[in-house]
Amino acid sequence: MRVNDIVAGIVLIAIAVFMFVLTLSFPPFPGQKYGPSLFPRILATGIIFCSLLLIVRGLRTRRGGAAMITLAPWMRDGTALVSFLAVPAAIGAYILLSDYLGFYIISFAILTLLFFWFGVRPLNAILIAAIATWTIHFFFANLMRVPLPRGLLNNII
Amino acid sequence: MWPALVEAFRLVFDPYVIGVCMASAVFGIFVGAMPGLTATMATALLVPVTFFMPPVPALGAIVTATTMAIFAGDIPAAMLRMPGTPASAAYTDESYEMSKKGQLDLNLGVNLVFSVIGGLFGVAILIIAAPMLAELAINFSSFEYFWLAALGLTCAIFIATDDPLKGFISLFIGLSLGCIGIDPAAGYPRFTFGSVELLQGISFIPAMIGLFAVTELMRGSVTIREKPAIIAQAVGNIFKGVGGVFRKYWRNCIRGSVIGTAIGALPGAGADIAAWISYAVSKKFSKEPEKFGTGHIEGIVDSTSANNSALGGAWIPALVFGIPGDSITAVVIGVLYMKNMNPGPTVFLQNPQFIYAVFIIFIIANLLMLPIGWAAIKSAKQILRTPRRILLPLILMFCMVGSFAMTNSVYGIIIMLTIGLIGWALEENGFPVAPIILGLVLGEMFEQNFMTSMIKSDGNLIGFFNRPIAATLGVMTLALWAFMLWRMTQPKAEARAT
């Protein structure tokens, strides 16, 4: 999805202005005119300056007939769009549910669903998801002592 | 020096270290050979695994995996016309034309042998130049470091992006992300919105995984249902004819290696840019430029040497100044800090054995590339047949657990997802992502040197030019900024950028 440079420029300026406003409450070094706010302010100014140039450039292409927003071809293809969204959705599900469900359940569920959606045969999908979940858990939790969440299975394993 | 060298050999020739390196070599070959998985991604995924290792195997794993990955990217380029990593993109069409002419064996042989030579060349320069520069850098003050970082970041945008305006915006975004957390000069929490986790700043490795792996997975998922390409040709004796190519084109190999090492050493530009530039140079100075693009070996010699030599070159500024030469060494710098070996000239005095160990592993990795690369070429059909629909979810799960492991909480995964989405949107709109990671890595050091210099010179900017080396670097930086501003206003540059 490509947006015209005008849109990109406006979004960036909004963020940079917000950043600049936040720096106003930073205290200066004792006895100096500047402090922790100086560097972020320079950066915010830099972003605003470059974004203004970007907007000027965008206006010029706009006069040449460029669209404000151009969708990538795959975004009109429902299957491809779902495949694309599946990646951030899976990460989001892990963030929200892993503590409650525990690593074994969430990992197995995410892998199986993704395999299904991408067209792996059901039996293979379940088998590979189970083996992969166990291997990753063994490697990270047992060998490297990463505290992967136990969740619902806390009392069982 | 000698006791440190002996100690370095003892550190490297340890069954555990050698084992880690062998495993990383296989991992690197696989990641490099799979189109869509890059050497930077290999590095980012390796870090959570190496997190709990001592410094030498941790660095060894990264060195070996990236060395192998950059070469392995040449295999699918020749067989499928798909570069395995961006570093092979410059000569993918040329390689594929060669295979169409029935010269697949020669192409792969040349790629393997010249990658080894280029890689060794880059390491040799690293071994010679790094300690010399370290001796010079020991006298540097905050002024020199400030200008060095400024010049490095500017070079990164100047060389590595065709749209400097968007490059600068990416860099500013990266530096701004680096501002989140406790500020380095006064200890004041900035942009934390009261969150305890943001106090520690944007955790670097999860950000890297988001930027280089999650974005790649999102793009890859769109085409996952397409039928994989099939390789028809069998591979024979790949080393036949390589000697003849060497006798005819040894000058190209040296030229490519020199260009590669130099570009690698410049901050921000790595193996992929090195390959593009040396391919262009090769064509420009060739006696038969008309043959380029028709399956001619000459440009491949230049660029395949260049991309592997860039790897060694990139370590020079990373070790000496703590300024990454490319996105791989950006990760390395993060790893060095985690292992309490703060990069900079003093590491050569305090921990020379670790530096020598890295050098030794670099040499071994390049020599190992011959047998392992040969085996990879022979089994390329099997490697390339790995179904992506199985690989993609597995890598995704690995990314999540890896990011989790860096912070021991879902905070790491939240960073990974957020930065991944931002990175995807930016890249989709022509903003390069490498400057973001450079900004994030260098932000703290850059700001600290800036603030220290400001305090030393009492807020007077003239003070930034009072020392000879600082003044030289400063004038160079300002000249580059002026030149880039001038070029931006030229109509030609704008036509190219839009």
Side-chain angles (χ1 to χ4, degrees):
Chain A
M1 186 174 74
R2 266 191 90 96
V3 299
N4 188 288
D5 285 348
I6 306 173
V7 182
I10 292 172
V11 172
L12 286 164
I13 288 179
I15 296 171
V17 168
F18 178 58
M19 188 172 138
F20 201 100
V21 170
L22 285 177
T23 64
L24 294 177
S25 63
F26 296 175
F29 293 151
Q32 299 282 357
K33 279 198 260 11
Y34 50 86
S37 61
L38 178 62
F39 193 64
R41 279 184 197 171
I42 296 176
L43 296 176
T45 316
I47 295 179
I48 294 171
F49 175 72
C50 290
S51 302
L52 286 174
L53 289 178
L54 203 61
I55 291 176
V56 171
R57 211 169 74 183
L59 284 172
R60 225 171 281 167
T61 59
R62 185 96 176 112
R63 234 171 279 147
M68 272 314 226
I69 294 178
T70 326
L71 287 184
W74 57 262
M75 286 190 166
R76 293 174 204 285
D77 171 359
T79 319
L81 189 61
V82 173
S83 298
F84 175 82
L85 294 175
V87 174
I91 302 174
Y94 189 98
I95 292 172
L96 295 175
L97 299 174
S98 63
D99 247 359
Y100 175 68
L101 293 176
F103 177 76
Y104 276 113
I105 296 176
I106 188 83
S107 162
F108 179 75
I110 287 178
L111 287 176
T112 316
L113 286 175
L114 284 177
F115 285 146
F116 274 156
W117 176 253
F118 290 145
V120 180
R121 261 179 267 140
L123 189 65
N124 283 358
I126 292 170
L127 265 179
I128 300 170
I131 296 169
T133 299
W134 183 82
T135 314
I136 293 176
H137 187 271
F138 176 78
F139 187 79
F140 278 95
N142 296 28
L143 288 185
M144 294 178 21
R145 305 256 160 238
V146 175
L148 292 176
R150 286 157 169 267
L152 288 180
L153 299 179
N154 199 14
N155 301 324
I156 306 170
I157 39 171
Chain B
M1 178 190 168
W2 294 111
L5 199 58
V6 172
E7 174 68 11
F9 271 100
R10 203 187 57 78
L11 283 169
V12 172
F13 290 96
D14 171 76
Y16 175 67
V17 176
I18 297 289
V20 168
C21 286
M22 291 301 285
S24 317
V26 175
F27 172 72
I29 286 275
F30 181 78
V31 172
M34 290 300 292
L37 311 185
T38 66
T40 315
M41 184 168 159
T43 321
L45 292 180
L46 260 181
V47 175
V49 180
T50 59
F51 191 57
F52 298 92
M53 293 180 187
V56 171
L59 294 171
I62 296 174
V63 167
T64 327
T66 50
T67 306
M68 299 293 166
I70 295 292
F71 154 69
D74 300 342
I75 302 174
M79 288 183 166
L80 302 173
R81 200 182 186 177
M82 282 196 280
T85 72
S88 309
Y91 48 100
T92 294
D93 285 341
E94 192 87 69
S95 289
Y96 190 67
E97 289 298 321
M98 277 188 76
S99 347
K100 275 209 296 201
K101 287 203 298 195
Q103 295 178 338
L104 178 65
D105 292 356
L106 179 66
N107 176 283
L108 291 174
V110 164
N111 270 321
L112 177 55
V113 173
F114 286 92
S115 291
V116 172
I117 299 175
L120 287 172
F121 185 94
V123 178
I125 302 293
L126 166 68
I127 295 175
I128 299 166
M132 276 162 53
L133 276 174
E135 235 159 83
L136 179 75
I138 207 105
N139 297 319
F140 280 13
S141 69
S142 63
F143 295 108
E144 281 85 6
Y145 275 110
F146 168 75
W147 283 120
L148 208 55
L151 183 64
L153 291 168
T154 313
C155 279
I157 291 162
F158 185 66
I159 314 166
T161 58
D162 29 295
D163 191 347
L165 190 57
K166 289 188 171 171
F168 268 115
I169 294 180
S170 291
L171 174 65
F172 289 141
I173 293 175
L175 288 169
S176 306
L177 287 173
C179 285
I180 296 175
I182 299 276
D183 107 87
Y188 183 78
R190 294 186 299 198
F191 309 117
T192 54
F193 305 100
S195 147
V196 180
E197 278 163 329
L198 280 178
L199 277 180
Q200 49 181 303
I202 298 287
S203 202
F204 169 63
I205 297 298
M208 186 90 186
I209 294 177
L211 214 48
F212 289 97
V214 173
T215 51
E216 213 62 68
L217 295 178
M218 289 198 282
R219 275 191 290 269
S221 65
V222 173
T223 56
I224 203 155
R225 283 156 190 273
E226 287 169 15
K227 283 259 176 305
I230 294 159
I231 318 128
Q233 282 183 43
V235 184
N237 178 7
I238 56 165
F239 294 116
K240 207 174 131 199
V242 174
V245 171
F246 184 78
R247 273 189 293 281
K248 194 165 173 197
Y249 293 122
W250 61 271
R251 286 184 199 86
N252 297 56
C253 171
I254 295 176
R255 184 174 63 199
S257 304
V258 171
I259 294 177
T261 315
I263 291 178
L266 280 172
D272 41 342
I273 311 286
W276 282 108
I277 291 183
S278 52
Y279 184 82
V281 169
S282 176
K283 188 173 178 183
K284 191 161 178 140
F285 290 100
S286 170
K287 289 193 193 90
E288 320 162 289
E290 71 282 356
K291 283 193 181 169
F292 277 68
T294 63
H296 186 49
I297 195 78
E298 192 178 348
I300 298 178
V301 172
D302 271 275
S303 36
T304 201
S305 313
N307 61 16
N308 275 81
S309 64
L311 283 180
W315 281 70
I316 300 174
L319 286 177
V320 180
F321 307 119
I323 296 176
D326 59 4
S327 37
I328 295 169
T329 43
V331 186
V332 170
I333 288 179
V335 173
L336 288 171
Y337 277 115
M338 280 191 254
K339 305 285 177 206
N340 283 325
M341 295 168 55
N342 296 2
T346 47
V347 83
F348 287 80
L349 296 174
Q350 287 160 359
N351 289 313
Q353 72 280 13
F354 290 144
I355 304 293
Y356 294 142
V358 168
F359 293 167
I360 297 168
I361 290 175
F362 240 124
I363 297 172
I364 297 175
N366 275 290
L367 294 176
L368 263 183
M369 193 148 73
L370 269 180
I372 295 185
W374 177 82
I377 290 172
K378 285 291 180 189
S379 48
K381 271 190 189 178
Q382 282 72 34
I383 297 178
L384 291 174
R385 221 181 267 153
T386 314
R388 281 172 57 228
R389 51 177 182 226
I390 291 180
L391 208 53
L392 195 145
L394 291 181
I395 295 178
L396 179 62
M397 187 50 67
F398 203 80
C399 288
M400 290 196 272
V401 179
S403 298
F404 181 93
M406 301 317 290
T407 57
N408 278 343
S409 67
V410 286
Y411 171 59
I413 310 177
I414 296 172
I415 292 182
M416 175 188 95
L417 177 62
T418 317
I419 304 272
L421 289 173
I422 295 175
W424 177 81
L426 286 172
E427 220 169 10
E428 197 76 351
N429 285 292
F431 292 88
V433 292
I436 301 181
I437 220 68
L438 288 180
L440 190 55
V441 178
L442 282 180
E444 188 172 337
M445 172 249 197
F446 190 50
E447 181 179 5
Q448 194 153 31
N449 283 309
F450 175 62
M451 294 314 284
T452 315
S453 304
M454 281 294 278
I455 293 166
K456 272 198 254 179
S457 68
D458 213 13
N460 187 349
L461 289 178
I462 301 293
F464 282 70
F465 297 91
N466 269 347
R467 293 163 57 99
I469 296 179
T472 318
L473 292 168
V475 169
M476 279 162 71
T477 313
L478 295 181
L480 206 52
W481 286 349
F483 176 73
M484 287 168 88
L485 261 179
W486 173 78
R487 208 175 61 166
M488 267 185 234
T489 57
Q490 296 300 301
K492 205 177 138 204
E494 243 175 55
R496 210 185 36 164
T498 45

